[in-house]
Amino acid sequence: MVVSTVYPSGGDINIFPGVPNWRDRVRVSYEFKTDIITSGLGTEQRRAVRYYPRRYVEYTAHFNGESKLQLDYFMARGLADKTIIPEPSKYVVLTSTLGAGQRQVSYGKPHPAWPSPNSPPYWLRPGLPVLLVDGLRMETRLLSGFSFTDLQFADESQVTFPAGARVYPALQGYLRAEPKARRYTSDVTTLPIRFEVDPGSATEVFPETSPGEMIGTREVFMKRPNWGNQVDVTYVYPREQEDYGFGATRSFKPYDFPSRIVQASFLGRDHREVQEVIEFFIRMRGRDREFLVPSWENDVPFYAITGNGFAILIPGLMFGHTYKDSTVFRRIMLRMADGTYHHHTVDFVETLPDTEFSVLWVRERLPVEELTPQSLIGISWVFVVRFASDLLEIDWVTDSVAQFGLSYQVLENYDL
């Protein structure tokens, strides 16, 4: 049976009886809202409208026999009402039986836990609801306390949940107004759902996180793109045109710096990797805040170190002519064969016409002793960017592995 409980405001809230079929994707989306005003010179003013993102969960549930009857009951009585679903990718497993009338139960090591396997998940907090699931049996409980091994509930369980049952965060919100089911037989059906988490509800919990690696006032995003999929780069260099419909036209550039929008896909091999990206996106508040990201490409041809360890000699004059006055290409990252990285601020770029070389000068001394053709993989530009979208979509392949795409827009760098 499916149990509907009184929680936590005193109103009757329905539990949706369907769980994800992992043969299909499970998509969890996070969406901020940012107002951006761009001046005629290309500079931006940004304002975050939301402090925390709106959240949506989409998956396909399969029903047959008794579960199909439970779906019919739900649709007949509670589709328009506030609803609870389990958050699909987050759970712990009971290691003892929670008997009817009991308030305490043991649980195992958190399923790919965050922020550390040696601490309980952040969503285990007194006063917050969880959802116990064992097949078709579901029950919401309010946590009154917890340790790394035990959960305590504010009220007694109504039914028995055996060891092996799962405990999920309980998300409270609403289903899409008109979900469309597909019948395969009189007893078998599938239903794709889109669930909108109620903003500010007792079930909406985001962890308090600290920034990762910082350079100056900006955080550095060091996740590598999945080169197994293509990385799309859209080059942005606005051109405006005056055309009166007759005679000559006139074109001009409203501002004189190149930008680009990079769209890349990423693979989260475990829950911790995915959670790190989600937390980073939340810290950036979507498009609101700036951060640093390397291109992960071989952008700076390396010939030798000169200038007492503060300059990179580069074959040809085109590099110097292209980048000497840039307000965008102002940082580099040395990618070393041993897996380490060295970040450097570009001081200036010049050409040496008599030698057919360009020189890139940096402000921090280069690791001269470590730089050999065998030790250096390549040198990448590091850009000041913001996310190009307020929407982050995570497609869970399993309950611990996910794919997702990120897009960011390159901005000017005025740090010098």
Side-chain angles (χ1 to χ4, degrees):
M1 65 178 177
V2 176
V3 180
S4 178
T5 63
V6 177
Y7 140 80
S9 61
D12 198 25
I13 302 178
N14 295 298
I15 302 174
F16 179 68
V19 295
N21 180 347
W22 288 101
R23 288 180 296 179
D24 302 317
R25 74 175 187 191
V26 175
R27 171 169 287 181
V28 180
S29 303
Y30 300 80
E31 188 173 28
F32 282 94
K33 185 177 182 181
T34 307
D35 289 339
I36 299 179
I37 301 173
T38 305
S39 74
L41 297 178
T43 56
E44 294 182 346
Q45 288 187 338
R46 298 182 295 273
R47 180 177 71 94
V49 177
R50 296 173 185 161
Y51 190 82
Y52 290 113
R54 299 288 171 86
R55 192 152 44 140
Y56 310 93
V57 179
E58 298 172 81
Y59 61 81
T60 298
H62 287 218
F63 303 87
N64 63 82
E66 183 181 350
S67 64
K68 193 263 185 183
L69 286 175
Q70 295 292 340
L71 175 65
D72 292 339
Y73 299 154
F74 177 88
M75 291 300 173
R77 74 173 190 275
L79 175 58
D81 296 332
K82 192 168 286 188
T83 299
I84 288 174
I85 68 166
E87 187 162 359
S89 62
K90 302 175 183 177
Y91 63 83
V92 296
V93 179
L94 298 187
T95 56
S96 65
T97 297
L98 177 65
Q102 293 182 346
R103 297 190 180 189
Q104 182 167 325
V105 67
S106 298
Y107 73 99
K109 182 179 179 180
H111 171 76
W114 57 91
S116 163
N118 298 317
S119 62
Y122 69 82
W123 47 268
L124 291 179
R125 295 185 184 179
L128 291 180
V130 295
L131 191 62
L132 288 90
V133 178
D134 178 42
L136 295 181
R137 289 183 297 176
M138 300 183 185
E139 183 179 74
T140 54
R141 296 288 96 192
L142 285 176
L143 283 173
S144 60
F146 65 92
S147 67
F148 191 58
T149 58
D150 295 296
L151 302 175
Q152 296 89 37
F153 302 117
D155 43 7
E156 298 175 354
S157 178
Q158 298 179 19
V159 295
T160 297
F161 285 88
R166 295 182 176 184
V167 181
Y168 295 86
L171 295 180
Q172 179 179 322
Y174 296 89
L175 291 180
R176 177 172 43 198
E178 296 181 356
K180 183 179 180 180
R182 173 165 291 178
R183 300 284 199 264
Y184 293 93
T185 71
S186 60
D187 243 5
V188 177
T189 187
T190 62
L191 180 70
I193 72 161
R194 175 180 169 87
F195 183 83
E196 300 179 4
V197 180
D198 187 18
S201 68
T203 62
E204 188 69 342
V205 180
F206 295 100
E208 295 295 332
T209 60
S210 301
E213 180 181 357
M214 300 288 293
I215 295 179
T217 60
R218 297 187 182 93
E219 190 170 353
V220 188
F221 185 75
M222 290 292 289
K223 300 291 183 183
R224 289 175 174 267
N226 180 8
W227 291 105
N229 297 331
Q230 71 273 8
V231 175
D232 295 330
V233 181
T234 301
Y235 296 96
V236 181
Y237 214 140
R239 175 175 61 90
E240 295 184 1
Q241 186 178 64
E242 289 183 354
D243 185 355
Y244 297 101
F246 61 89
T249 62
R250 186 178 68 158
S251 297
F252 61 94
K253 295 186 294 185
Y255 50 86
D256 194 23
F257 71 90
S259 182
R260 62 180 68 176
I261 298 174
V262 179
Q263 295 175 290
S265 61
F266 297 80
L267 177 65
R269 292 163 294 185
D270 57 44
H271 198 288
R272 201 167 295 110
E273 286 188 358
V274 180
Q275 188 68 18
E276 287 173 357
V277 174
I278 294 171
E279 291 172 359
F280 181 85
F281 185 76
I282 292 174
R283 287 197 297 272
M284 296 302 108
R285 296 184 191 172
R287 296 185 297 164
D288 180 45
R289 295 180 176 176
E290 298 175 357
F291 57 97
L292 296 172
V293 63
S295 71
W296 298 104
E297 300 177 18
N298 298 323
D299 301 312
V300 181
F302 173 79
Y303 183 80
I305 299 296
T306 186
N308 197 29
F310 285 87
I312 300 173
L313 201 61
I314 298 163
L317 300 178
M318 185 58 69
F319 184 93
H321 289 313
T322 300
Y323 299 116
K324 64 178 180 179
D325 297 318
S326 175
T327 58
V328 173
F329 302 90
R330 306 294 295 270
R331 297 199 64 86
I332 59 172
M333 182 181 74
L334 280 61
R335 309 188 332 269
M336 310 301 290
D338 63 2
T340 60
Y341 307 102
H342 298 276
H343 290 270
H344 292 273
T345 306
V346 176
D347 195 359
F348 63 94
V349 177
E350 63 177 345
T351 58
L352 303 176
D354 296 338
T355 64
E356 293 295 318
F357 278 95
S358 300
V359 182
L360 183 152
W361 292 85
V362 296
R363 294 198 167 188
E364 306 87 8
R365 191 172 188 273
L366 295 158
V368 180
E369 298 78 9
E370 302 176 31
L371 288 180
T372 67
Q374 293 74 33
S375 66
L376 178 65
I377 295 177
I379 304 175
S380 302
W381 292 119
V382 177
F383 299 111
V384 173
V385 305
R386 62 164 171 81
F387 281 116
S389 173
D390 279 321
L391 179 66
L392 172 64
E393 295 177 329
I394 308 289
D395 287 336
W396 292 92
V397 181
T398 70
D399 58 11
S400 59
V401 177
Q403 297 174 338
F404 51 93
L406 295 173
S407 61
Y408 59 83
Q409 181 164 349
V410 173
L411 308 171
E412 286 187 287
N413 184 346
Y414 287 115
D415 287 347
L416 300 183

